């Protein structure tokens, strides 16, 4: 069973209890999952805001500016930064936390970095549970920051109430992201480092891409910011609040959260089924022989997978 005092301290907003709880979940400790089960009924109150974008777009600096404004109106804030994994320890490199140092001593701010992959668990299982714990701890705003633009980032952003895509002008990578369909993800687009001479050109290009997409009830705004100076961040906060009000009024917040929770349940199932399958096949001589057939080109991978799944299903039934 989970430590009752830890759960109570977490629900009371104790930062050390929250840090301990996240460590338990990240370490795949059964006490961590028991704790999540215990506090889960107390979640669902925080505004979860996901930020993604190409590396170097200024996401961390932008979050720092957002945190400053949200604390200015006495809101409790948590930040979960998904960092690249260390190739040696598989831990987070902590680069994002370096940019948030001015908030470290603020008792109303909790900052945590987490590796985007590693031996201790998958992203969908650890990072998203950490966000739930932050919610349970009474945080009003939870910022989820992801590294890069790719499938993993889409996965975690799919668990946010509001999605912010951060781009920077003069970047060929950003334009490639537009072509790749990443424009379907955001609720708000931020063009950061707006002092760049190509900012207006990029804004026009983004508007052109948005005009080709199916028109939804919410029209995706484009906000120009200079996060280092704090310029445009107040306008971004206004858009965050406007989007929140819109999805609450339209009733789409509950729909979005239902979709997100469905994806989370499926993600957890997928991760755990894969782990069980890997454990079962680790010392399986028949699997080794099957793999040898694939390597020798006598059996194709799809047929091998079908054989493995048939055996796995038979074992489960037995």
């Amino acid at each position: 069973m989970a430590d009752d005092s830890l759960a109570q301290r977490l629900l009371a907003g104790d930062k050390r209890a929250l840090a301990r709880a996240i460590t338990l979940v990240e370490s795949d400790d059964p006490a961590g999952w028991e704790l999540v089960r215990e506090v889960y009924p107390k979640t669902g109150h925080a505004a979860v805001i996901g930020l993604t974008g190409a590396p170097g777009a200024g996401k961390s600096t932008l979050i720092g500016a957002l945190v400053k404004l949200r604390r200015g109106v006495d809101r409790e804030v948590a930040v979960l930064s998904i960092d690249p994994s260390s190739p040696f320890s598989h831990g987070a490199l902590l680069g994002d936390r370096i940019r948030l140092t001015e908030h470290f001593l603020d008792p109303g701010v909790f900052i945590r970095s987490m590796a985007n992959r590693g031996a201790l668990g998958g992203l969908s299982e650890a990072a998203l549970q950490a966000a739930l714990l932050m919610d349970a701890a009474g945080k009003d705003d939870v910022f989820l920051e992801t590294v890069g633009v790719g499938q993993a980032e889409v996965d975690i952003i799919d668990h946010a109430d509001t999605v912010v895509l951060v781009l920077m002008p003069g970047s060929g990578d950003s334009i490639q992201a537009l072509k790749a369909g990443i424009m379907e993800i955001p609720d708000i687009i931020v063009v950061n480092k707006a002092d760049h001479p190509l900012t207006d050109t990029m804004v026009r290009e983004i508007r052109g891409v948005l005009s080709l997409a199916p028109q939804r009830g919410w029209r995706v705004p484009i906000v120009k910011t200079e996060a280092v100076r704090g310029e445009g961040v107040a306008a971004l906060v206004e858009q965050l609040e406007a989007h929140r009000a819109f999805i609450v009024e339209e009733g789409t917040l509950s729909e979005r959260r239902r979709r997100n929770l469905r994806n989370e349940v499926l993600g957890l199932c997928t991760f755990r089924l894969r782990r069980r399958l890997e454990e079962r096949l680790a010392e399986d001589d028949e699997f080794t022989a099957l793999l040898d057939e694939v390597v020798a080109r006598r059996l194709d991978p799809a047929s091998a997978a079908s054989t493995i799944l048939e055996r796995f299903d038979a074992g489960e039934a037995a």
Side-chain angles (χ1 to χ4, degrees), residues 104-282:
F104 279 180
L105 299 180
D106 186 338
V109 178
F110 181 88
I111 302 169
R112 181 73 174 229
S113 290
M114 188 172 288
N116 64 333
R117 61 181 182 179
L120 295 181
L123 177 64
S124 62
E125 194 161 14
L128 298 173
Q129 299 298 311
L132 279 177
L133 292 170
M134 292 172 170
D135 186 354
K139 302 306 177 185
D140 298 303
D141 296 301
V142 175
F143 293 102
L144 304 179
E145 178 192 359
T146 64
V147 53
V149 176
Q151 186 59 46
E153 287 66 49
V154 172
D155 288 345
I156 192 168
I157 288 298
D158 197 30
H159 291 74
D161 300 330
T162 300
V163 178
V164 180
L165 174 63
V166 184
L167 302 172
M168 57 181 172
S171 168
D173 291 340
S174 296
I175 300 303
Q176 289 302 318
L178 304 187
K179 295 178 181 177
I182 198 75
M183 300 300 289
E184 298 175 4
I185 299 172
D187 300 300
I188 299 169
I189 295 174
V190 172
V191 177
N192 194 30
K193 305 181 181 180
D195 55 339
H196 194 285
L198 292 178
T199 296
D200 290 337
T201 299
M202 185 175 199
V203 169
R204 286 195 297 271
E205 290 173 342
I206 295 171
R207 285 192 176 127
V209 173
L210 290 174
S211 67
L212 299 176
Q215 297 302 309
R216 299 174 292 175
W218 170 258
R219 296 182 64 84
V220 178
I222 304 171
V223 181
K224 295 189 289 186
T225 65
E226 290 182 51
V228 173
R229 299 186 180 91
E231 296 180 10
V233 182
L236 174 57
V237 169
E238 290 179 6
Q239 292 297 340
L240 289 172
E241 292 177 343
H243 181 258
R244 180 77 176 185
F246 176 82
I247 58 178
V248 169
E249 182 179 349
E250 294 290 312
T252 53
L253 176 59
S254 58
E255 294 176 9
R256 179 176 295 213
R257 286 186 168 179
R258 180 180 180 84
R259 180 203 65 197
N260 293 346
L261 290 170
R262 174 184 181 275
N263 291 339
E264 182 168 354
V265 170
L266 290 176
L268 290 170
C269 289
T270 301
F271 176 80
R272 295 184 180 186
L273 283 172
R274 173 169 180 149
R275 183 167 57 186
R276 287 166 59 188
L277 183 60
E278 288 176 342
E279 290 172 352
R280 183 171 296 185
L281 297 177

